[in-house]
Amino acid sequence: MTNLNRHKTIPTPIRYLINTGLLIALIVVGHIITEGGLFQIGRAQQRIIVEIGIFIILAVSLNLVTGYLGQLPLGHAGFMAVGAYTAGIFWTSGFMPDGASMVVGLILAGIVAAIFGIIIGIPALRLRGDYLAIITLGFGEIIRILITNLSGITGGAQGLQGIPRHSNFILVYICVIIACTLIHMLMKSRHGRAILSIRENEIAAESCGIKTTYYKVMAFTVSAFLAGVAGALFAGNLGILEPASFGFMQSIDILMIVVLGGMGSMAGAVISAAILTSLPLFMQGLNQYRLVIFALMLIVVMIFKPSGLLGTYDFSLSRSLERLINRDYKVKNFVRKLAIPLKRLVIPNAPGRNFLKFTGILYAVVSLSIIAGSIIGMFNIGPLLGVLPSRYPGAWQFFFILNIITGAYGLIVGTLGMLFRKDVGKAKLLRVLAILSIWLLAFKYLVILDGAGLLVVLIALPIELVLPILFKTGAEKNQSAHITSISEAPGKDGGNHGE
Amino acid sequence: MFFVSHLVNGLQLGSIYALVALGYTMVYGIIKLLNFAHGDFIMVGGYIALFSLSTTFFGLPPAVAVVLTIVGCMLLAVVVEKLAYRPLRNAPRISVLITAIGVSLLLQNLAQYFFGATPMNFPTHLLIPAGGITMGDVFVAYTPLITIIAALISMVILTYLVQRTKLGKAMRAVSEDTEAAQLMGINVNTIITFTFAVGAGLAGIGALLYGAGYPRIEHTLGVMLGLMAFVAAVVGGIGSIPGAMIGGFAIGLVEALVTALGFSEWRIGAVFLILIIVLMVRPTGIMGRSMMEKV
């Protein structure tokens, strides 16, 4: 316990001060970037940035139910629709002066959606697991059908038009911060622990005296409230509402954000909302493949990392700062952790595996730099950094395609390498082959086009194939040792750091 | 007469729903998975039938096309089960459910990529001849008649398969208690694959009958059809084979009834309303058994 005394901590008020300061800075900087006129950001990009904020709220609110409560509702877009139409109708009616109307409309949207949440939640949450998914799906569809058919109030299939565009950067991101803070504080409280215990084991939680139905309905209602607010912001961003944009697919899109980011990770939800929402911008050149790639991503992530990319890991600034303060031994640990895979990479005791890993890392580095390049291209800050010529047309589409192609080649090389190795199970190989073939089918035209990628294959393939044969005896001798070293490797997944 | 024609429409739609619902219910009964991709198996089956029948493509004889469609659907299901669901056999249920949604999206978008987004016309007359028979003063076309008869025959065969054969016995054993079945020497993986194949075979028949009755094949065909059949399976009691049949016909008749009353744009809403009412009053459905949950 002496360790505990030596461990320096940051006092709570200072933590809050740091966080608040950073958030204010974020809002100010973001406002300057998007609307300050300092950078050449177009209307479309502005709208995407606002949309990212809206989807962050949606993802974080769905994460409360999916990640923390452990249920799977499939009708989140329904609540969003309720909020959007409530706010849309309220704003267009011109009931109040503009400034007050904006705030009242947002809150009203949230409250109406929350009422729907209670109405739906009480019967739905008595059911478990799959039935909940079905019943929420049904409610989502009914809401959409109601909106389509009640054309007198909602404008029907034609859509509700002429909604004042209230959603600007500051409004949306203040809502984002409120939503995240609300959920964070909820999860840190006694109620949050009750919600988590329901996820871990509902029956055990119930037998510990936790009112499971009450907490389920509460989490569901908070989630619906936030979805309603997000819907209102959505209405204020587009200025026009159509029932078609609140269908089953919209619910799935939000679910996908949560799942890919990590069920139970707020940082994951925020990051993946940002990436997935802005992805269509990057992928304009390959819009027809976009949904194929999304679907594949969903399946692959579920198979290889069912808890999502970040799992339940959450980022905490003050914790990272504390780690930095107590760095005398922490850094050593960190370096040691980092050194293990590097050491294994450099010292080839099993060349086939290591080389596969090496090419994998190479591809990762190349892809990451290319993504960075595309972001630079997107925001036209290339000239500032001296990386890209100014206004290089279609720069990022090009980079993105290149990225995908190199990824495809990485898969080819990896698969062919695997074919020649004994320690790879048949099932795993089959899976990789299937992914590869789908990938190849999807990108056959692009693959043919790209000469540079072919060159990569031509160089990497012999290395990939010949090296294991050259070092064969060594590889077999060291195989058992290698396997143990893998199982010992610490921190493979990042693990659960709580929060 | 008005009544009879709507009744026939309802039974036609209902028998397709029942066939599709059987696929949902069998898979759920055996691995407790809501196979969201099942509706899209029908979509794929529809395209296979269309391409093999249509004279502008292959122009195969109807019998060959029927076999091709059924076998194609079965193969697809087996492949999907092997690649996407089997690696997740021991994963949390929520992950498997999300994977199923992913497979559904993937199939839809691949279909859109390969076959385009515009709906194609199904060559109905090549499968079932036009015309019909007159019973008293009521005219009934061949299409609904054959649809209902084919569905009933399929159900009889399925019931025989499940109740009387050794494979069916193994299926029932696995759905009752997977681990005990394994201890009795049943290869659980084989049985699961077989169940998927049978369900998809029924989906293939459903695809043929759907194409014959509603000749519009597009990549999103499976979504609504799948959802409705799925509702039918739940209303009937998911996991129960007779329940899926009853549920299918019930949902089909409800849709026909709502349409007959002149609220055709509300029929999907009505179906979901029934679903919600059934789930609230009797969550296990009409034929479902309530299960004790183990801690």
Side-chain angles (χ1 to χ4, degrees), chain A residues 145 149, chain B residues 13 17 228 254-256 258-259 263-272:
Chain A
I145 292 163
N149 289 339
Chain B
L13 196 58
Y17 285 160
M228 290 290 128
V254 165
E255 262 196 50
V258 174
T259 311
F263 298 102
S264 64
E265 66 266 36
W266 291 94
R267 64 183 196 282
I268 295 166
V271 169
F272 279 113

Side-chain angles (χ1 to χ4, degrees), chain A residues 66 70-72 74 123-124 126-131 133-135 137-139 141-142 144-146 149-150 201 203-204 248-249 252 255-256 259 263 288-289 291-292 295-296 298-299 302-303 306-307 430-431 434 438 441-445, chain B residues 28 32-34 36 82-85 87-88 91-99 101-110 112-114 223-224 227 230-231 234 237-238 265-266 268-269 272-273 275-276 279-280 283-285 293-295:
Chain A
T66 307
Q71 310 290 332
L72 184 66
L74 293 177
R126 279 172 49 219
L127 306 165
R128 287 184 187 172
D130 307 331
Y131 289 109
I134 303 160
I135 203 166
L137 192 161
F139 270 113
E141 285 298 305
I142 286 181
R144 193 177 58 85
I145 292 163
L146 274 176
N149 289 339
L150 294 176
N201 190 332
I203 298 166
F248 180 53
M249 280 310 299
I252 297 294
L255 181 70
M256 191 136 75
V259 168
M263 285 180 279
Q288 46 180 337
Y289 310 114
L291 287 165
V292 177
L296 263 182
L298 200 63
I299 300 171
M302 275 300 113
I303 290 178
S307 54
L430 268 176
R431 214 180 299 154
I438 294 168
L441 273 177
F443 295 106
K444 56 183 177 187
Y445 303 114
Chain B
Y28 189 87
K32 302 279 172 290
L33 160 69
L34 290 182
F36 268 95
K82 278 234 155 100
L83 294 178
Y85 300 153
L88 289 161
R93 294 257 295 273
I94 198 166
S95 313
V96 194
L97 202 58
I98 293 166
T99 312
I101 294 171
V103 172
S104 160
L105 286 180
L106 181 67
L107 288 177
Q108 273 170 43
N109 291 304
L110 282 178
Q112 185 185 9
Y113 173 61
F114 287 118
V223 180
M224 248 320 136
L227 270 180
F230 175 61
V231 170
V234 175
I238 196 150
E265 66 266 36
W266 291 94
I268 295 166
F272 279 113
L273 200 67
L275 167 79
I276 288 160
L279 280 183
M280 270 154 50
T284 49
E293 229 170 299
K294 280 174 269 186
V295 182

Side-chain angles (χ1 to χ4, degrees), chain A residues 54 57-58 60-62 64 76 110 113-114 175 178-180 182-183 221-232:
Chain A
I54 294 167
I57 301 176
L58 286 169
V60 166
S61 63
L62 183 65
L64 176 63
H76 212 56
C175 289
I178 292 173
C180 290
L182 186 74
I183 290 177
T221 310
V222 172
S223 166
F225 178 88
L226 292 176
V229 173

Side-chain angles (χ1 to χ4, degrees), chain B residues 22-94:
Chain B
L22 282 170
Y24 277 113
T25 225
M26 282 165 65
V27 168
Y28 189 87
I30 212 151
I31 51 171
K32 302 279 172 290
L33 160 69
L34 290 182
N35 185 12
F36 268 95
H38 194 70
D40 301 287
F41 293 167
I42 302 161
M43 179 268 297
V44 174
Y47 273 110
I48 297 175
L50 190 149
F51 285 122
S52 48
L53 272 174
S54 173
T55 43
T56 46
F57 295 99
F58 297 108
L60 299 172
V64 180
V66 168
V67 173
L68 260 183
T69 307
I70 295 171
V71 172
C73 280
M74 287 169 124
L75 273 180
L76 177 69
V78 170
V79 168
V80 164
E81 196 271 324
K82 278 234 155 100
L83 294 178
Y85 300 153
R86 187 165 297 180
L88 289 161
R89 198 54 47 83
N90 297 317
R93 294 257 295 273
I94 198 166

Side-chain angles (χ1 to χ4, degrees), chain A residues 119 320 486:
Chain A
I119 295 171
S320 311
I486 276 191

Side-chain angles (χ1 to χ4, degrees), chain A residues 193-215:
Chain A
R193 287 193 294 277
I195 289 172
L196 280 182
S197 77
I198 293 172
R199 174 184 79 185
E200 294 306 328
N201 190 332
E202 196 174 330
I203 298 166
E206 201 164 10
S207 66
C208 289
I210 288 166
K211 289 178 269 177
T212 52
T213 308
Y214 170 78
Y215 280 113

